[in-house]
């Protein structure tokens, strides 16, 4: 059974039961109230009649009239006419002395007490009567006085009220059923939308989100679903990217191995099978050496990537000005050979680094800058607060904006032909990114095609008191 149906039935049943109980309670209270009022009136009337009969019987005895039954009958007759009520007089043996109506006169279940007035409700010939009973003992006469009050009008009023309540009941239930449908639909509509979006989500459409318009539990459910969908969509995007990167990695790795191996095998076969001149043999050997160096570079960098992913490294406290000066001394010969002007800025500050790895990082970035066609390369440092920043800036060919997000992927090369000519395999920036992560940083790459590139690494600087130590 659907939640809409359950909610609708619960509302309708609750409304029907509540309304039925309320109407029953009202009708029952009204009936009891009317009966109690009539009982009080009838009791007073019965007492008055009993008192009148007793008084007249005493007066008759005082005047010498000893026929008390006749006196009682006359008083009952006159009183019945005066008060417009039905009266019965019965002797102890239930012999009828006097009656004004042919109505049943049953004895109450508890009997008739001579000191109390008892009453019962009598139904006779389609009419309801309130029957009052009491015992009269006077002048040797013991009889039961019965007074009858027609209370059919009370039951008629109750029946009329019941019919009216039934009509009101049907109208309210009908209106309530319509309102219950609207209300149930209003409550379950967000759930239906959530179900539909969930089905679309399971079919591969991850863009669906719930429009939250309330702050109740359903609104909270929608908010949780949206957060879950965002998280799942992000994870799926990451997985898709990871799969694509792995596919690209595998394809690139296979290609990077195939190209130099084909050249090496081809030139080796030429040297083996043909008689070549000294120059031709030297050229073939040069190609073999060149491609072998590229394979060697590829294997070293792959090994470094694997090592970085599996090991923890000890970070040492280093004066960064001395570290950068050492970098300057290391790259100066290569820069002179390539006719690239170098500019270094030595700013002091202590940081914790793994010296060999971080040196590999900086040297890789400087090497890339010198290969960019820039006439000059600047290595700038800045110590500010608890941060120490190193930036490598060149004015070379730059990186296209569309390529910036992927340059740190393994085997990704912006210019594949030029990279291979320079023994590149597209692993340099991937390696640099890993090293930066080990130092709690990342490569901040900013580049404009045709104008140059700036790459910044930010490290946590040690506190001043640590510097003094």
């Amino acid at each position: 059974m659907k939640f809409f149906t359950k909610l609708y039935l619960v509302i309708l049943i609750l409304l029907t039961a509540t309304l039925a109980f309320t109407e029953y309670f009202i009708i029952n209270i009204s009936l009891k109230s009317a009966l109690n009022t009539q009982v009080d009136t009838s009791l007073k009337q019965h007492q008055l009649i009993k008192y009148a009969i007793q008084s007249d019987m005493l007066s008759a005895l005082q005047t010498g009239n000893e026929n008390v039954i006749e006196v009682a009958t006359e008083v009952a007759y006159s009183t019945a006419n005066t008060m417009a009520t039905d009266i019965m007089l019965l002797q102890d043996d239930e012999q009828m002395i006097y009656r004004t109506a042919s109505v049943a006169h049953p004895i109450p279940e508890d009997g008739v007490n001579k000191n109390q007035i008892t009453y019962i409700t009598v139904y006779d010939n389609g009419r309801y009567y309130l029957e009052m009973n009491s015992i009269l003992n006077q002048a040797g006469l013991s009889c039961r006085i019965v007074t009858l009050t027609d209370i059919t009008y009370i039951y008629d009023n109750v029946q009329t009220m019941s019919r009216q309540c039934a009509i009101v009941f049907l109208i309210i239930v009908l209106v309530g059923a319509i309102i219950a449908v609207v209300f149930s639909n209003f409550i379950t509509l967000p759930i239906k939308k959530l179900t539909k979006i969930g089905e679309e989500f399971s079919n591969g459409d991850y863009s669906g989100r719930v429009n939250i318009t309330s702050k109740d539990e359903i609104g909270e459910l929608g908010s949780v679903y949206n957060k879950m969908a965002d998280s799942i969509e992000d994870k799926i995007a990451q997985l898709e990217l990871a799969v694509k990167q792995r596919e690209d990695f595998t394809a690139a790795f296979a290609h990077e191995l195939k190209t130099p191996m084909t050249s090496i095998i081809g030139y080796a076969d030429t040297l083996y099978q043909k008689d070549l001149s000294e120059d031709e043999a030297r050229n073939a050997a040069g190609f073999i050496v060149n491609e072998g160096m590229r394979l060697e570079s590829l294997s070293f960098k792959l090994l470094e990537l694997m090592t970085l992913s599996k090991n923890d490294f000890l970070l040492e406290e280093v004066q960064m000005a001395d570290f950068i000066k050492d970098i300057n001394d290391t790259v100066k010969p290569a820069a002179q050979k390539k006719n690239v002007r170098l500019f270094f800025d030595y700013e002091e500050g202590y940081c914790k680094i793994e010296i060999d790895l971080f040196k590999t990082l900086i040297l890789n970035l400087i090497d890339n800058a010198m290969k960019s066609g820039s006439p000059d390369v600047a290595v700038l440092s800045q110590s500010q607060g608890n941060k120490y920043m190193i930036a490598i800036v060149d004015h070379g060919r730059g990186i296209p904006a569309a390529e910036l997000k992927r340059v740190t992927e393994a085997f990704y090369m912006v210019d594949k032909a030029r990279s291979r000519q320079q023994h590149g395999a597209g692993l340099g920036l991937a390696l640099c990114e890993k090293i930066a992560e080990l130092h709690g940083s990342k490569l901040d790459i900013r580049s404009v095609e045709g104008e140059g590139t700036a790459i910044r690494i930010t490290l946590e600087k040690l506190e001043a008191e640590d510097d003094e130590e």
Side-chain angles (χ1 to χ4, degrees), residues 450-465:
E451 296 184 11
T453 303
I455 301 179
R456 183 172 62 182
I457 307 102
T458 303
L459 299 172
E460 291 290 332
K461 194 177 70 171
L462 299 178
E463 298 293 336
E465 55 190 40

Side-chain angles (χ1 to χ4, degrees), residues 80 117 130 208 224 273 305 317 333 368 375 379 399 444:
I117 300 175
L130 185 62
V224 170
Q273 295 189 17
L305 275 176
E317 186 177 319
N368 286 345
V379 180
I399 303 171
D444 182 6

Side-chain angles (χ1 to χ4, degrees), residues 197-198 200-201 205-211 225-226 229-230 233:
I197 293 173
E200 294 173 352
F201 198 94
D205 181 7
Y206 308 122
S207 61
R209 295 295 183 273
V210 180
N211 184 23
Y225 173 84
N226 287 344
D230 290 340
E233 189 173 18

Side-chain angles (χ1 to χ4, degrees), residues 225-372:
Y225 173 84
N226 287 344
K227 291 179 181 177
M228 179 193 70
D230 290 340
S231 177
I232 293 176
E233 189 173 18
D234 290 342
K235 294 295 182 183
I236 290 174
Q238 291 174 13
L239 288 173
E240 290 175 346
L241 178 61
V243 170
K244 188 177 186 309
Q245 288 176 343
R246 183 170 294 182
E247 291 174 350
D248 291 346
F249 180 92
T250 304
F253 180 67
H255 183 74
E256 292 302 323
L257 285 178
K258 179 182 177 182
T259 303
M261 290 302 297
T262 301
S263 299
I264 290 171
I265 292 171
Y267 283 110
D269 185 62
T270 301
L271 286 172
Y272 178 73
Q273 295 189 17
K274 296 182 180 180
D275 293 329
L276 302 176
S277 64
E278 185 177 347
D279 289 339
E280 289 174 337
R282 183 181 296 277
N283 288 335
F287 279 113
I288 292 173
V289 170
N290 189 55
E291 293 301 314
M293 290 174 63
R294 193 153 73 86
L295 279 176
E296 182 184 43
S297 174
L298 173 62
S299 63
F300 283 155
K301 290 190 175 180
L302 276 174
L303 182 61
E304 288 177 339
L305 275 176
M306 293 173 64
T307 303
L308 289 174
S309 301
K310 295 182 179 180
N311 290 283
D312 294 329
F313 298 92
L314 179 63
L315 304 183
E316 302 177 37
E317 186 177 319
V318 176
Q319 170 57 262
M320 297 306 294
D322 296 337
F323 175 80
I324 295 173
K325 186 177 184 304
D326 180 61
I327 295 290
N328 186 9
D329 296 337
T330 303
V331 300
K332 188 180 293 182
Q336 291 173 350
K337 186 177 180 180
K338 295 181 179 180
N339 295 319
V340 177
R341 295 187 302 275
L342 294 175
F343 175 77
F344 278 79
D345 172 44
Y346 312 115
E347 191 161 335
E348 293 187 350
Y350 282 88
C351 297
K352 281 191 173 183
I353 61 173
E354 208 290 326
I355 297 175
D356 292 332
L357 288 179
F358 204 74
K359 188 172 183 178
T360 300
L361 164 62
I362 301 300
L363 289 176
N364 264 308
L365 296 180
I366 294 174
D367 185 56
N368 286 345
M370 290 193 295
K371 291 177 181 178
S372 69

Side-chain angles (χ1 to χ4, degrees), residues 13-29 169:
I13 292 171
L14 185 62
L15 174 65
T16 303
T18 303
L19 190 61
F21 176 77
T22 302
E23 291 188 355
Y24 171 80
F25 182 77
I26 291 173
I27 293 172
N28 195 45
I29 289 295
F169 175 83

Side-chain angles (χ1 to χ4, degrees), residues 30-76:
S30 298
L31 176 60
K32 287 183 177 180
S33 177
L35 286 175
N36 289 336
T37 301
Q38 186 61 59
V39 166
D40 291 340
T41 303
S42 298
L43 282 173
K44 293 176 181 178
Q45 189 180 55
H46 186 88
Q47 288 175 334
L48 185 60
I49 292 172
K50 183 177 180 180
Y51 177 75
I53 293 174
Q54 283 181 320
S55 298
D56 285 0
M57 289 177 67
L58 287 173
S59 299
L61 288 172
Q62 290 175 356
T63 57
N65 187 357
E66 296 182 356
N67 192 353
V68 291
I69 294 178
E70 182 180 350
V71 172
T73 301
E74 290 178 355
V75 174

Side-chain angles (χ1 to χ4, degrees), residues 399-405 447 449:
I399 303 171
E403 311 285 342
L404 274 176
K405 292 183 178 180
S447 183
E449 190 173 7

